[in-house]
Amino acid sequence: MWAYIFKRLLLMIPTLLGVLLLTFVVIQFVPGGPVEQMVSQLQGRDTGGEGAAASGAGYRGRQGVDAARIEEIKALYGFDKPATERFVQMVGQFARFDLGKSFFYPKDVWQLVKEKLPVSISLGLWTFFLSYLISVPLGIAKAVRAGTRFDTLTSLLVLVGYAIPGFVLGVALLVVFGGQLQWFPLRGLTSSNWEALSWGAKITDYLWHIAMPITASVLGAFAVTTMLTKNAFLEEIRKQYVLTARAKGLSENKVLYKHVFRNALIPIVTGFPAAFIGAFFAGSLLIETLFSLDGLGLLSYESVMRRDYPVVLGTLYLFTLIGLVTKLISDLCYILVDPRIKYE
């Protein structure tokens, strides 16, 4: 197994390099970069990344600015060096886990990530645990009652929820419960006076703020886990060892939870690491942007729009590395739940 792990770790290197190289090359052709934005500010035309990209200010924005000043701005952002040299320097920094400094924040990328991470962790933990705590028991109940009215009705509800995109549901929640009824706040994780509240009031205030974002995040995650659990249990229930256990006179609960449960949960348990990490990053961009939650998703969106390339590449490197390690852990989980698997 150790040889397999070593090979997988070695394969991560070209994967990381390929992702970084592709993104770096694309960035070189994106208009409205930090140099153009700085020149626009000097000319009193602070159009930002979107305006520069839309109006072609990448070229016209340099008119009327001294060439020496433009070279100073290029040197400030490191664009005075050839692209190949900048890429090699970036890879060397990333190899030392130095993600660089932001162009627009007076902070290191690592510091920005650590500041935004608690919000994404909060959303991710709630999404992950609620999804599994509801989906797995529901999937088991559907498998036991397969073909009944309960199975049909819950399948319809789950699939309807899956068909509604999270951001569309989020907009509807904001309009109805945040705007018209004003039952929930429209933005943020806490109120402005959160520090002055008691512990009980702080918990209530936090849950009050997190209700709509979590609802929008969780609803779409129910379908896959629920149907996977149901199908896995149905497949195991039909096997010979279940008929043998029933023939020995074991109760249905013992057959289901002592014999079927472990085998049926193999595809679900092995997906825990990927689902756990994915809950932090997958889909957080739209939810955090929609509800104005200052997390990693919103940071990524703002860094792309402002052409903050160190943040874009640094977070991409970090997320890709976490994803590759999580995939390896997911594969290794098969051995823990099914000893019959041998990687040799």
Side-chain angles (χ1 to χ4, degrees):
M1 184 177 72
W2 292 108
Y4 173 79
I5 295 175
F6 181 70
K7 291 177 183 178
R8 289 289 300 271
L9 291 175
L10 289 180
L11 285 173
M12 292 181 186
I13 299 176
T15 304
L16 279 171
L17 289 175
V19 171
L20 291 174
L21 177 60
L22 180 62
T23 308
F24 185 84
V25 170
V26 171
I27 282 176
Q28 307 309 307
F29 300 98
V30 175
V35 175
E36 285 77 11
Q37 293 187 44
M38 178 62 72
V39 171
S40 296
Q41 291 180 16
L42 292 175
Q43 293 180 323
R45 297 199 307 272
D46 187 10
T47 58
E50 292 178 278
S55 62
Y59 174 75
R60 293 194 300 271
R62 300 184 181 184
Q63 297 177 359
V65 179
D66 185 70
R69 189 64 183 276
I70 293 178
E71 294 302 321
E72 291 179 4
I73 297 173
K74 286 184 177 181
L76 176 65
Y77 293 117
F79 286 96
D80 57 328
K81 302 175 183 177
T84 53
E85 183 179 346
R86 285 187 280 121
F87 179 76
V88 172
Q89 181 181 357
M90 180 191 70
V91 172
Q93 289 179 340
F94 287 175
R96 303 189 302 270
F97 288 94
D98 178 9
L99 303 183
K101 294 184 178 181
S102 170
F103 285 161
F104 298 98
Y105 297 94
K107 300 176 182 178
D108 294 337
V109 176
W110 266 118
Q111 186 178 355
L112 283 172
V113 170
K114 287 188 290 185
E115 289 178 358
K116 312 297 183 182
L117 193 57
V119 174
S120 296
I121 288 178
S122 180
L123 284 174
L125 287 176
W126 280 109
T127 302
F128 174 79
F129 285 116
L130 285 178
S131 298
Y132 275 87
L133 287 176
I134 297 175
S135 298
V136 173
L138 180 59
I140 296 175
K142 287 173 62 62
V144 174
R145 300 172 177 83
T148 64
R149 183 177 298 179
F150 170 81
D151 181 32
T152 304
L153 181 60
T154 53
S155 295
L156 178 63
L157 294 176
V158 166
L159 293 177
V160 168
Y162 180 71
I164 301 175
F167 70 93
V168 174
L169 177 62
V171 171
L173 293 174
L174 282 173
V175 172
V176 177
F177 296 101
Q180 295 179 353
L181 300 177
Q182 297 183 355
W183 289 355
F184 297 96
L186 296 175
R187 56 184 301 163
L189 283 182
T190 56
S191 300
S192 57
N193 63 334
W194 191 79
E195 293 293 339
L197 300 175
S198 62
W199 279 107
K202 284 183 177 180
I203 295 174
T204 303
D205 182 75
Y206 167 73
L207 295 176
W208 182 46
H209 281 76
I210 204 72
M212 289 199 299
I214 291 302
T215 302
S217 300
V218 165
L219 192 62
F222 283 158
V224 176
T225 308
T226 300
M227 301 309 293
L228 179 63
T229 304
K230 174 192 172 182
N231 293 334
F233 267 80
L234 282 177
E235 183 179 355
E236 293 297 324
I237 288 173
R238 295 165 181 162
K239 289 185 177 179
Q240 185 65 39
Y241 75 89
V242 176
L243 298 177
T244 304
R246 287 171 174 167
K248 290 181 178 180
L250 295 178
S251 65
E252 192 64 25
N253 284 336
K254 281 190 175 181
V255 172
L256 186 63
Y257 292 104
K258 185 177 180 180
H259 296 278
V260 176
F261 191 76
R262 180 178 179 180
N263 293 328
L265 285 185
I266 288 178
I268 301 171
V269 172
T270 52
F272 271 8
F276 186 73
I277 298 298
F280 296 140
F281 307 120
S284 62
L285 168 61
L286 293 173
I287 298 300
E288 290 181 13
T289 304
L290 185 63
F291 290 94
S292 299
L293 303 177
D294 195 15
L296 291 176
L298 186 60
L299 174 65
S300 301
Y301 171 77
E302 291 178 346
S303 61
V304 169
M305 301 310 298
R306 300 180 68 177
R307 310 297 193 264
D308 197 348
Y309 297 144
V311 178
V312 173
L313 291 167
T315 53
L316 176 68
Y317 167 75
L318 186 62
F319 295 164
T320 304
L321 182 61
I322 292 174
L324 292 172
V325 173
T326 302
K327 179 62 178 175
L328 175 59
I329 295 174
S330 298
D331 292 342
L332 295 178
C333 283
Y334 280 101
I335 292 180
L336 299 178
V337 297
D338 192 352
R340 296 171 296 178
I341 296 177
K342 303 294 182 182
Y343 283 109
E344 291 78 6

